[in-house]
Amino acid sequence: MQTLVMKFGGTSVGKAEAIRQSADIVLAAKKDWPRVVVVVSAMSGVTDALLKGAHSAAAGDAATFRTIAADLRNKHFAALEALMPPGAQGQARAEVLTYLSEFEALCHAVNVLGEASARALDTISSLGERMSIHLLAAYLQSVGAKSEEVEASDLIITDAHYQSANPMSDLTRTATQARLNPLLDRDVIPVVTGFIGATQDGVITTLGRGGSDYSAAILAVALDADEVWILTDVDGVMTTDPRIVPGAQTLAELTYREISELAYYGAKVLHPKTIRPVIERGIALWVKNTFNPQHPGTQIVKDNGHTHGDIKAVTVIRG
Ligand code: ADP
Ligand code: ASP
Ligand code: MG
């Protein structure tokens, strides 16, 4: 059975209209693919805001994290209100409130201690994805699709290297198949948190900033998926960062090696750890635009022998 893993970045779930567009892409793909797994990032800006709350609390500020919690509640609630009738919002609203009170309690603890450990930072920064899955899944359910939220702490088992944890492949494979296959067999679309995992003891870890791309690759390998689509806010991998050079062009095709180099040397479009697991399994990888779904995007291909000597793209690491 063909399996597709689709990952939507922060902008793709950043507000109601984006969530609707992302859901349309999921529903269209579900017509062609018997098994679809969706991985989502936190809404854009949320991970930064959570970390700002933690760091300001550690520095002695007992007020900023409370303002951040209120802003995050408004951001998530505004999206829910724009997406679905009040009767459909209940569960997602409750989940958002639960996680925001957890955020306040954790920041309070950090404030009392006067320090935020790497472990605490991971628990705090995990909350963005743990909220965003409920928005997309609730919307999919509200339009009649079968969908269920899944926290990747049940799937991706990692070491305790907080802030850039390493997945343990056998444990992850077993846990992922045990949890997701029953859903996929029933035609349910799992909406899974990007970015996070957990140790064998169940302590939350994160895979590093921008790590939701990596989550998609890890799950694709664990499920023996056929394709991974990274859905973002540009038409694919471009000749350079279009935020710096507006005339940048989309590349139709890049090899694994080329995209690895670009990612490693700072092109934010793909997390550098994403590529290796998918090449090793021969899983097809695409980078596509949520906001321009007609555009084919960029396909990442095996070395095709045509690349030597060509300069495809330019990237920069600031500072
Ligand atoms: P997401 O939240 O979807 O993961 P990111 O912001 O992490 O999105 O990555 C997409 C951004 O990467 C684009 O908006 C673009 O500014 C930046 N970028 C940097 N280099 C490139 C490149 N070579 N091609 C495309 N996008 C790039
Ligand atoms: N939300 C996380 C971050 O901002 C992971 C991701 O977006 O890929 O780093
Ligand atoms: Mg990203």
Side-chain angles (χ1 to χ4, degrees), residues 25-264:
I25 294 171
V26 172
L27 295 172
K30 187 70 184 80
K31 297 203 171 95
D32 298 332
W33 293 81
R35 296 157 81 88
V36 172
V37 175
V38 175
V39 175
V40 287
S41 290
M43 296 178 88
S44 48
V46 169
T47 310
D48 286 341
L50 293 166
L51 286 167
K52 184 177 169 200
H55 289 302
S56 61
D61 171 354
T64 298
F65 70 82
R66 301 209 188 269
T67 315
I68 290 172
D71 291 347
L72 293 179
R73 188 192 58 221
N74 293 341
K75 186 178 173 88
H76 289 82
F77 281 10
L80 281 171
E81 279 154 23
L83 284 170
M84 65 197 85
Q89 296 171 24
Q91 154 122 30
R93 286 175 84 97
E95 298 282 357
V96 168
L97 287 180
T98 301
Y99 285 127
L100 289 176
S101 55
E102 192 173 317
F103 169 66
E104 290 194 66
L106 287 161
C107 287
H108 174 68
V110 162
N111 183 245
V112 171
L113 288 169
E115 86 177 335
S117 65
R119 173 173 164 164
L121 290 172
D122 273 4
T123 304
I124 292 170
S125 62
S126 75
L127 296 168
E129 276 73 7
R130 292 160 80 197
M131 294 190 284
S132 66
I133 52 170
H134 294 285
L135 305 189
L136 182 61
Y139 179 67
L140 286 167
Q141 291 156 8
S142 77
V143 298
K146 288 199 277 181
S147 176
E148 193 173 313
E149 311 77 351
V150 178
E151 297 208 359
S153 43
D154 293 340
L155 312 178
I156 299 179
I157 311 303
T158 71
D159 62 14
H161 198 292
Y162 297 106
Q163 303 202 280
S164 79
N166 303 294
M168 298 160 94
S169 53
D170 292 346
L171 293 172
T172 297
R173 188 179 178 82
T174 309
T176 300
Q177 293 200 359
R179 178 78 173 87
L180 296 189
N181 280 341
L183 297 179
L184 296 169
D185 290 344
R186 285 191 286 120
D187 235 15
V188 173
I189 303 167
V191 177
V192 184
T193 53
F195 187 45
I196 74 171
T199 64
Q200 278 179 272
D201 301 331
V203 181
I204 296 273
T205 54
T206 69
L207 305 173
R209 295 305 308 269
S212 298
D213 301 332
Y214 189 28
S215 307
I218 295 166
L219 295 179
V221 168
L223 291 169
D224 298 319
D226 299 277
E227 293 195 12
V228 176
W229 296 2
I230 302 292
L231 285 132
T232 183
D233 55 4
V234 287
D235 283 338
V237 183
M238 308 183 77
T239 48
T240 193
D241 187 343
R243 287 187 209 177
I244 303 174
V245 183
Q249 304 286 307
T250 301
L251 296 157
E253 201 177 271
L254 268 185
T255 66
Y256 287 117
R257 201 185 139 83
E258 290 167 330
I259 183 73
S260 302
E261 296 267 311
L262 273 179
Y264 184 76

Side-chain angles (χ1 to χ4, degrees), residues 287-300:
V287 179
K288 292 170 178 278
N289 190 350
T290 301
F291 305 100
N292 188 14
Q294 268 67 50
H295 195 291
T298 301
Q299 183 175 19
I300 314 300

